Amino acid sequence: MKKANALIGLIIALSMGSSLYAQRPADEALFREAKLLVYDKDWAPALDKIEELREKHPDSPYAAQALFYKGECLNGLGGREKDALRAYKDYIRSDEAKANLVEEAEGRVVDLAFELYSAGDAAALRDVESRLEHKNMVVRYYAAYKLSLVKDKRVAAKAAPVLQKIIETEKDPELLDRARIALLRVSPESLKSAEESLEARHPRTGSPRMLRIRIYDKGRKDAAFALNIPWALADLALGAMDDDDKAELRKKGYDINRIVSELAKSKESILKITGDDGSVIEIWID
Amino acid sequence: MAVAGIGDVTMSKCAIGKDDWAAFLAGELEEARRRTMAEHLDECPDCRAEAEDLKKVLARTEAVKAEIRRAVASVNWEALPALIADRVMAGERAPEKAPRTVRAWGGAFPLRLRPVMAGLAAGLVVGAAAMYFALRTPGSRPAPNTAYYASGEFLDRAELEMARRNTLDYLKKSQYILLDVFESGGEGLAPAAFSSEQARDLLARKKYLNAQLEKFQMAKAKAICDQIEMLFRELSEISEDLPSAELDRIKGLVEERQLLLKINLVRKDLEREI
């Protein structure tokens, strides 16, 4: 009897094993197909595949990851932002969630919350604000950047401490430039104190600190364009100058990059250019 | 006559109405008190005269309010920060202007109304300041020479410029990583130069690009960046032990969709725009 029982047990174990073996490729194939459709932004059929995977193979190792892609599909479909937000949050809470995808999902939550807020759902912004204190630096920084774009400047100003921290501690130039521009939007005073704190810790002897540009229309004393920005943004600022102004300078034979580098050397001088239409451009550096 | 504040207009002769004249003239008193004060006004010529003066002041206030409203409507708020910046700078060069303004206000009104006018003027200044601070866009207030300032329009242009540069950088780095991965094909493992860390770094950068590419309607660049993002998500998950079958699958996808060619084309477009 014991032998018979052992034999039955072995048969059951083998049959279970083979069914597990058979299940793995089926769920994997579904997941791959879904991801390929996501790659092509074919959202509706991709969502169908993902739902099929989660229904037919709820215990699949891909079921949790599928939640992230469900969020991608719902987000891509448009009009289902709240459902997408829920899917990403479900993924973040999942025990099977992977660190890199969680970081991505957090970013998507910030984007969607911002989108919902912009469409009139004031409460949605809580998802962005709460991430200003997220343990993951990447999430924290992104939430601050996104919050800086909020039109209500009192709300946007809440991003200032995190943006200030980026300037004081980070080295990545792309991140630094973004933080500087975001702070210029929400709190130039915070940008100033961040730059001063940076300067105190890493003195840049002799290098300029501020670029100033003024453009006056003919006969006007009030500047039509005024700019005071950190020297670190000078290159970007010149690249962003109005095409007409750049053309004006080129027409007069001035190479704007050379001008600024010369001004940086002399520091004391002010470049004043009068255009054919009587407009005046002043550039100087402190 | 004693020099008095607004609540003390009738103080010299009458004990009545010390604190209520302004409310009385503005029609904000409760009925019983209003009747008492009206009766007193009928009987007391001094208080009547004071009340007439105060009425004129309040009427002037209304006129000023209307002027402020008209002025606010006519202000170009976009251009205001630049205007203020220049005024501040001009003010630093000519600081003697302020005292003259004070003298002009002081001389325009009789002595007994000076405290009233001072209070009114202070109220207007505070009110105007409050209006300015309520209406100004934080971040756009230029202050003395050392303050940073850039208009919202300029910051948008700077962000567009940054979007172009960063997208170019993202595409270049993506190309290197993809080429690196494919050059190692056949060995069955991901190349040493590639790490999930690089992919994660690019994925983190891509988040910022999403908003900018959408905002500035750079649809072609956005589409290609989205496809690269998906590939990197795959690579970042499996880079450590990338089996040759997986590598071939991703390689096949990149070739089939001509991703490297598309990256080159978008790069050329962006370089032309810079």
Side-chain angles (χ1 to χ4, degrees):
Chain A
M1 184 67 184
K2 272 185 185 173
K3 274 186 182 176
N5 282 346
L7 190 61
I8 291 165
L10 185 64
I11 290 166
I12 291 170
L14 282 173
S15 66
M16 277 179 71
S18 67
S19 86
L20 281 173
Y21 182 78
Q23 180 185 320
R24 183 71 179 254
D27 59 355
E28 192 176 326
L30 261 178
F31 191 47
R32 277 193 183 175
E33 283 171 45
K35 284 205 283 188
L36 203 58
L37 289 162
V38 169
Y39 181 88
D40 288 334
K41 299 191 175 186
D42 217 344
W43 305 118
L47 186 60
D48 290 343
K49 294 277 177 198
I50 284 163
E51 298 291 18
E52 188 183 339
L53 167 69
R54 288 183 56 79
E55 273 169 32
K56 288 185 179 169
H57 311 281
D59 299 324
S60 161
Y62 302 106
Q65 272 192 69
L67 268 176
F68 174 86
Y69 289 99
K70 181 180 175 181
E72 293 284 275
C73 294
L74 292 166
N75 193 10
L77 279 170
R80 298 187 66 180
E81 288 79 10
K82 283 191 176 173
D83 293 333
L85 194 67
R86 207 169 301 122
Y88 288 124
K89 284 182 177 176
D90 286 346
Y91 178 69
I92 292 166
R93 278 194 292 269
S94 154
D95 293 335
E96 310 293 320
K98 293 183 174 185
N100 63 327
L101 272 194
V102 167
E103 199 173 286
E104 288 298 296
E106 291 283 7
R108 297 289 199 271
V109 167
V110 170
D111 282 334
L112 282 166
F114 180 82
E115 217 172 295
L116 288 167
Y117 170 80
S118 303
D121 182 355
L125 207 62
R126 275 204 295 269
D127 275 327
V128 183
E129 288 182 35
S130 64
R131 279 162 177 80
L132 289 175
E133 290 174 6
H134 200 279
K135 59 180 190 254
N136 183 324
M137 188 183 74
V138 173
V139 177
R140 213 161 53 230
Y141 288 178
Y142 188 60
Y145 165 75
K146 209 70 189 183
L147 196 62
S148 77
L149 301 175
V150 169
K151 284 197 176 126
D152 181 342
K153 296 302 172 190
R154 281 168 306 173
V155 177
K158 291 179 188 172
V162 177
L163 295 168
Q164 211 171 335
K165 194 83 182 162
I166 295 174
I167 294 169
E168 288 168 6
T169 58
E170 289 298 325
K171 291 195 173 76
D172 182 279
E174 194 176 314
L175 199 56
L176 281 168
D177 282 355
R178 266 185 220 291
R180 284 188 173 110
I181 289 185
L183 264 184
L184 265 173
R185 271 191 206 284
V186 301
S187 171
E189 298 85 0
S190 303
L191 176 59
K192 188 162 185 289
S193 70
E195 294 286 355
E196 281 168 359
S197 150
L198 190 65
E199 176 69 27
R201 279 184 289 118
H202 308 286
R204 294 162 290 177
T205 320
S207 76
R209 289 181 190 169
M210 195 187 283
L211 170 73
R212 297 159 188 272
I213 300 176
R214 298 282 183 278
I215 300 173
Y216 300 89
D217 290 336
K218 186 185 179 181
R220 300 296 299 266
K221 286 183 180 171
D222 306 326
F225 175 83
L227 186 76
N228 289 355
I229 55 166
W231 175 246
L233 289 178
D235 181 47
L236 200 60
L238 296 171
M241 265 179 82
D242 190 67
D243 286 345
D244 290 344
D245 297 328
K246 277 197 262 188
E248 187 66 56
L249 288 169
R250 270 199 302 273
K251 212 163 64 184
K252 289 183 163 292
Y254 291 109
D255 173 348
I256 190 75
N257 292 321
R258 191 179 56 76
I259 287 169
V260 173
S261 98
E262 290 300 318
L263 279 172
K265 281 180 210 158
S266 67
K267 279 193 283 182
E268 299 297 322
S269 52
I270 294 179
L271 177 77
K272 204 166 177 175
I273 303 161
T274 306
D276 294 337
D277 60 354
S279 64
V280 176
I281 302 173
E282 289 179 357
I283 305 174
W284 74 105
I285 286 163
D286 292 329
Chain B
M1 178 175 280
V3 176
I6 194 164
D8 302 320
V9 173
T10 62
M11 200 175 192
S12 54
K13 290 181 180 173
C14 306
I16 191 167
K18 284 180 191 170
D19 301 320
D20 292 338
W21 281 113
F24 172 76
L25 292 169
E28 289 167 359
L29 271 188
E30 62 173 67
E31 183 52 27
R33 182 72 178 150
R34 190 202 64 77
R35 209 179 302 124
T36 311
M37 293 188 77
E39 284 165 7
H40 176 74
L41 263 192
D42 286 342
E43 294 162 6
C44 177
D46 283 346
C47 285
R48 227 175 12 252
E50 297 283 1
E52 282 306 310
D53 282 340
L54 194 52
K55 230 187 239 177
K56 283 176 197 162
V57 169
L58 292 175
R60 216 172 277 132
T61 310
E62 283 306 312
V64 174
K65 276 184 190 167
E67 274 177 29
I68 289 174
R69 275 196 293 273
R70 277 198 299 277
V72 167
S74 69
V75 167
N76 177 353
W77 291 100
E78 282 299 307
L80 186 63
L83 183 67
I84 295 171
D86 281 12
R87 289 278 157 82
V88 169
M89 289 166 80
E92 283 183 351
R93 286 193 289 272
E96 73 279 8
K97 280 182 179 174
R100 267 206 301 266
T101 311
V102 173
R103 279 200 299 277
W105 274 92
F109 299 97
L111 184 65
R112 63 183 171 164
L113 284 179
R114 231 182 256 166
V116 174
M117 289 315 301
L120 186 60
L124 284 175
V125 169
V126 171
M131 182 178 69
Y132 171 69
F133 282 108
L135 291 171
R136 79 186 177 92
T137 309
S140 66
R141 180 171 62 96
N145 273 342
T146 53
Y148 289 130
Y149 166 71
S151 69
E153 190 198 347
F154 172 81
L155 291 173
D156 281 348
R157 283 213 301 266
E159 280 208 297
L160 171 63
E161 178 70 11
M162 192 161 32
R164 282 181 191 148
R165 291 182 187 193
N166 294 347
T167 306
L168 253 177
D169 190 53
Y170 175 82
L171 292 173
K172 268 184 209 166
K173 284 181 177 152
S174 305
Q175 259 182 327
Y176 294 146
I177 289 181
L178 290 174
L179 290 170
D180 205 15
V181 169
F182 297 151
E183 274 168 17
S184 74
E187 292 168 20
L189 289 173
F194 176 77
S195 72
S196 60
E197 205 51 44
Q198 282 175 294
R200 283 182 72 169
D201 178 55
L202 282 174
L203 286 172
R205 286 166 195 269
K206 170 66 170 45
K207 273 198 267 295
Y208 294 93
L209 289 181
N210 283 340
Q212 291 179 325
L213 294 175
E214 265 164 26
K215 183 174 173 186
F216 300 116
Q217 297 174 337
M218 296 160 79
K220 257 198 285 182
K222 170 87 168 62
I224 206 83
C225 289
D226 284 349
Q227 291 188 341
I228 294 169
E229 179 185 16
M230 180 83 185
L231 283 179
F232 283 171
R233 203 177 294 135
E234 291 280 281
L235 289 169
S236 70
E237 282 175 37
I238 52 180
S239 65
E240 292 305 314
D241 51 352
L242 191 62
S244 56
E246 280 297 300
L247 187 64
D248 288 345
R249 184 176 66 83
I250 295 172
K251 201 173 171 179
L253 187 68
V254 170
E255 281 168 2
E256 186 196 325
R257 310 294 158 96
Q258 298 185 311
L259 191 60
L260 289 168
L261 172 68
K262 287 180 193 168
I263 290 176
N264 269 332
L265 293 174
V266 172
R267 273 182 61 182
K268 289 279 177 297
D269 279 351
L270 291 172
E271 277 160 3
R272 258 200 301 274
E273 283 176 48
I274 286 175

